[in-house]
Structure formats: structure tokens, C-alpha cells
Amino acid sequence: MTDQYLLVLDAGTTSTRAIAFSAAGAIVASAARPLTQHYPASGWVEHDAGEIRDLSRAVLDEVAAAVGPERIAAIGITNQRETICFWDRTTGEPLCHAIVWQDRRTADYCASLKPHEADVQAKTGLLLDPYFSATKIRWALDNWPMVADAARTGRLAVGTVESWLIWHLSGGAAHVTDATNASRTLLMDLATCAWDDDLIALFGVPRAALPTIVDCAGPLATAMVGGRMIPITGAAGDQQAAAIGQGCLTPGAIKATYGTGCFLLAHAGPQPPVSHSRLLSTVAWRLAGVPAYALEGAIFVAGSAIQWLRDGLGIIADSKDSETLAQSVPDAGGVSFVPALAGLGAPHWAPDARGLICGLSGGTTRAHIVRAALEAQGQQTADLVDALAVDGVPAATLRVDGGMVVNNWLCQDLADSLGIVVERPRVIETTAMGAAMLAGVGCGMFADLPAAAAAMAAADRSFHPAIDGAARSVRRQQWQTAVRRVLA
Ligand code: ADP
């Protein structure tokens, strides 16, 4: 099967892409199309599910034609999570726009449910936030008559983006959702990976409209792609897929994506973790009916701090100048930079907090400020890693990706700040890689995820901690003092 390829459909927030991987993890062909964003009101974000379906078919057919459809062993799907689609199961047509994860229209409804938050968190691992799908479904039932009508007459089908796409690619034969995507709806019991009657009642969602929850690998459905019937054998939400693609397969293995913000997911093992730091508990994958779990947290400002140095302060011309400037000084000269430009995310949860640069002296130069901005990434990550440890998941390794990690100085500083090995992958398409690994396991190309990771996912470079514990804790204390000032 070594001359066979795995075809991944990555239905993201801003683009729809298809990528063909070899069994050795090389990208052999790809195609991408931008996805239209609809902003019908302030704080509202919608997608046309019909457009997502059509773009998906187009990129899949394009890549299948490029590599030869007969060489595709299986298809894997990964997707923007939480975004919810509504369709008529008799015609297959969308009833309305999909409501996107970023959409805040249910903020008041979420606030009204606050008395239920502890129960909801205990059952789902999530918090009551508009982000997640259930309140969006309720809103559509209350405000879009065609959705309410379809529910009344038993024609309503709902599903996250992978569910919608599998339904269509299978010609309406499969109305399924994988356990990682289901874990982001607020409707699934995290421990059993089944829809929960109490949650269904709380949000008033018609159970008959929901898909069946299935594994992340195995014979999920069959798709007509490039004129051939090809099995869909892998599916997972994007952050989970990225963690799998990064080989985070054992407890304490963490992946962090450093882009505009930073999204971190830590493998937590076979039991659902309980967070005391407002981290989210979620399904990492489910294979052969057995779930594995993860803890998840977000840092609001990562690369955007560097962007601000460039565009707001104008002290660098290009993001990559941050690396040479940080290197040009032996330390940050006592400067701390808490980049709370858009509030502080996990584990502080202070959305109204604002940023701080402190420790300035007559000797402070732009190099010190730039270095402090990069050091802030390590310290913010350390805040999350400390919270993970409190929640029972001590960090073992950190696997990084995203636009910032081309910066070698940053990667070394992450290793120094955390005192653990930081690994950067060879193929930076970690999300698509994870979906390919699942599809490879699901079609029998690999025995299990470790075998898939060994064959497909290779490290580009490892960064080993190069400072001692005493130096690490001095920096930690300086940062914590600055954060206390921000929170005060
Ligand atoms: P997103 O997917 O969130 O749009 P990317 O993964 O493309 O973001 O990452 C872009 C971010 O990375 C920008 O905020 C940019 O400032 C930052 N960035 C890019 N190159 C570097 C670099 N060499 N050093 C530090 N930050 C960088």
C-alpha cells in the first residue's frame, strides 16, 4: 500500500483545502479555495454551507485528478469546530446559513444560563460561551422559521461542518459526527461520548435532528470523488487533528499553535480531566469506541504582539526582525511585557485586562522591548502549563507550529522558560497531517496512531532547555509580578 495516498479535506474557517499525503507523510498535491465570510450584524459570523460543500467537492476532485483517483486509499476530514449547519434531510439543501464558532449572537442567552454552568461544565468539560454549538441551534430554532418548520415536520438535520460534508459526500447515506466534533457542541456527555438527555432538554434541541456520534477512524462513509467510490476513514476537529499530527499521543504531550493567538492542547489520557483553571476538557480522539481526552486553553495575544511592535509602535520593520533584535542583547534588561492587548485568556480569564510594559530604565532599547515581547510567549505558555499541572496533566514535551515558530530564538526561549524539550515538525501542515494519520489508521494502512506517527510525522528540530532552574524561576517571578500588576 506504500504507493497509495491519503486525501485530506480541511474545511477551515477562511479556506477549504484538499491535500494528498504519501504514506511517508510527504505532501504530494494540494488545492485551496477561499471561503466567503458573511457578517450580517455586529458580532455575527455566518458561512454558506452550500459553498463549503461545493468548494469541498472542487478541491477534492482537483487533487484526486492530480494524483490519480485510483491511488487514493482513503479520505480524512478535519474542520473548523463548533460551527453548525442546518439542512433539510429530504432535499439535502441548507435551510439557512451556518452559524460560525466566532459568532457572539447568543451571549445574552449564555448569560441567562449561568446558574447551570457548573453542571454543564461537569458533564461536557466546556463553559457556557456562545462559541459552542448548542446555543446557536437554539437561536436558529427561535429565529429562523424554516429551521423551526423543518424541526416540526421531522425534516431538520443539524451537524458540525464535518457532519454536513460527510452527509453530502456519502449522498445522504451517513448522518454522523466524530466524537471530537461532538464534544464541542455542549450536548455530549464527555465521559460516555453520547448525547445527553438533560443537555438536550436544557437547550431545547430536537434529538432526531442530531447526527450519530462515531469514532475518529474506521469506515465512516463512502464518498464519490474523482469518479470513484473512496472510503472516508478519518475525521477530527482541527485542534485535535493538529495534536494528533504533532504526535501528541501520550499524557503530557502538548501541542501549541503560535499564530495571531496561541491555541494549546494537552493530551490527558483515558479519563476526562476536570479543570480548576477554566481550561476546557475535550475529546482528543475516539478509536474503537474508546475515547482519549485532552485539556485545551487559549492565549489571546501571541503573534499579534509582534504585529503591534511593527504596526503600532513601528520599532521593527518586519516580524522576522524580532529574532535578530532579541539575540542582540544578553537579556531583556529588566523589562517585562504583558501583551494583554485583547485581555488575558486562560488561565487568568480577564477579558478586560490591558497590556503593560514595565521595568524601563534609561538604558532600555527597542531590542529589550522586542525581547520582552518574545519572552512573553514563553511565560504565557508557562502560565498554561502550570494550570495543566494543577489539573493533573504535567507537561512532558511541547510540539509547536504556526507562523511564529520559524523564529528559532523563540523556540529556544520556550524550551528555556518551560524546562522541557520543544519540538518543531518537518511538515507544518499539522492539522491535515492528523486527519491523514486518522484516515490511514481507519483504512488499515497503519495498525494504530503511534505507527502512523512513526511513518508520517517527523521532527524538523528539537530545542533543549539551556538555562538552570534558578534562572528559570527568576524570570518566572518577574513575569508573575507584572501579571499581578495587570490584574490589579
Ligand atoms: P494566523 O494563522 O493566526 O493568521 P500565522 O500562523 O500565519 O497566524 O502567524 C502569523 C503571526 O506570526 C503574525 O502575528 C506575525 O506577527 C507572527 N510572526 C511571523 N513571523 C514571525 C517571526 N519570525 N517571529 C515572530 N513572530 C512572527
Side-chain angles (χ1 to χ4, degrees):
M1 256 171 104
T2 47
D3 56 345
Q4 293 285 86
Y5 297 140
L6 296 163
L7 177 57
V8 169
L9 174 61
D10 179 355
T13 306
T14 57
S15 70
T16 307
R17 306 185 312 151
I19 300 180
F21 286 90
S22 74
I27 292 176
V28 288
S30 66
R33 302 273 194 286
L35 178 66
T36 314
Q37 310 294 310
H38 299 270
Y39 304 104
S42 168
W44 295 25
V45 189
E46 298 178 357
H47 287 158
D48 175 355
E51 185 187 9
I52 297 176
R53 170 197 59 202
D54 297 345
L55 295 177
S56 297
R57 286 217 176 104
V59 291
L60 284 171
D61 284 340
E62 186 178 327
V63 173
V67 302
E70 68 289 348
R71 296 190 67 175
I72 299 169
I75 294 171
I77 299 185
T78 183
N79 58 292
Q80 50 164 320
R81 305 175 303 172
E82 296 110 9
T83 298
I84 190 86
C85 303
F86 305 84
W87 68 98
D88 182 329
R89 58 171 84 249
T90 61
T91 66
E93 286 307 306
L95 292 160
C96 54
H97 275 171
I99 305 180
V100 177
W101 58 273
Q102 296 150 316
D103 191 290
R104 306 301 297 173
R105 77 184 66 184
T106 60
D108 290 345
Y109 176 39
C110 286
S112 76
L113 292 171
K114 277 291 163 188
H116 299 280
E117 185 164 77
D119 291 345
V120 169
Q121 189 191 9
K123 220 165 220 174
T124 66
L126 308 176
L127 302 169
L128 278 170
D129 187 276
Y131 219 76
F132 308 108
S133 317
T135 62
K136 299 179 197 292
I137 301 174
R138 179 73 255 155
W139 188 95
L141 286 161
D142 289 342
N143 291 277
W144 282 337
M146 51 290 187
V147 174
D149 269 1
R152 231 181 341 267
T153 52
R155 290 176 293 118
L156 178 65
V158 300
T160 40
V161 169
E162 93 298 348
S163 179
W164 160 247
L165 290 172
I166 293 172
W167 198 89
H168 264 284
L169 291 168
S170 69
H175 187 203
V176 297
T177 184
D178 81 276
T180 68
N181 274 292
S183 77
R184 314 297 297 184
T185 58
L186 281 175
L187 297 170
M188 194 191 85
D189 181 328
L190 197 59
T192 61
C193 287
W195 300 127
D196 181 82
D197 287 329
D198 295 338
L199 294 167
I200 283 174
L202 177 67
F203 296 105
V205 169
R207 194 185 180 109
L210 295 174
T212 303
I213 299 172
V214 296
D215 282 348
C216 297
L220 305 182
T222 305
M224 174 67 82
V225 170
R228 281 188 72 234
M229 300 301 283
I230 301 176
I232 301 173
T233 61
D238 53 12
Q239 295 300 320
Q240 281 89 341
I244 293 168
Q246 283 274 30
C248 295
L249 307 180
T250 50
I254 303 171
K255 84 91 198 173
T257 304
Y258 294 88
T260 306
C262 169
F263 292 93
L264 182 146
L265 202 131
H267 192 85
Q271 298 301 326
V274 177
S275 179
H276 305 285
S277 327
R278 293 180 78 76
L279 299 175
L280 304 175
S281 296
T282 198
V283 173
W285 64 69
R286 196 183 85 179
L287 296 175
V290 181
Y293 294 94
L295 279 170
E296 186 176 323
I299 295 165
F300 296 156
V301 176
S304 54
I306 306 304
Q307 250 166 294
W308 177 74
L309 295 180
R310 188 191 63 196
D311 305 336
L313 281 192
I315 62 171
I316 52 173
D318 196 299
S319 297
K320 69 176 186 314
D321 299 345
S322 62
E323 181 162 2
T324 27
L325 273 169
Q327 253 159 2
S328 72
V329 284
D331 54 43
V335 176
S336 289
F337 180 3
V338 183
L341 308 176
L344 281 176
H348 308 291
W349 287 104
D352 300 324
R354 287 298 170 258
L356 174 75
I357 299 177
C358 62
L360 303 177
S361 72
T364 301
T365 66
R366 68 186 179 121
H368 295 122
I369 292 175
V370 168
R371 183 167 171 135
L374 288 178
E375 286 182 351
Q377 309 311 321
Q379 294 304 322
Q380 294 191 107
T381 308
D383 289 347
L384 273 180
V385 162
D386 286 353
L388 286 170
V390 169
D391 289 345
V393 184
T397 55
L398 179 70
R399 310 243 162 99
V400 297
D401 54 48
M404 287 189 92
V405 304
V406 295
N407 187 322
N408 291 317
W409 189 91
L410 172 75
C411 294
Q412 181 59 48
D413 190 64
L414 288 170
D416 291 345
S417 305
L418 299 167
I420 56 173
V421 176
V422 170
E423 285 180 10
R424 188 170 63 193
R426 184 168 49 85
V427 173
I428 57 164
E429 296 284 1
T430 54
T431 304
M433 174 72 84
M437 286 164 55
L438 287 169
V441 171
C443 75
M445 187 183 277
F446 304 113
D448 51 23
L449 285 176
M456 297 187 78
D460 159 52
R461 190 166 158 188
S462 298
F463 299 84
H464 293 264
I467 63 172
D468 61 20
R472 185 172 303 123
S473 73
V474 168
R475 285 171 53 177
R476 209 62 203 114
Q477 281 162 19
Q478 187 185 328
W479 166 262
Q480 284 162 344
T481 304
V483 168
R484 271 196 297 274
R485 286 163 77 168
V486 165
L487 294 174

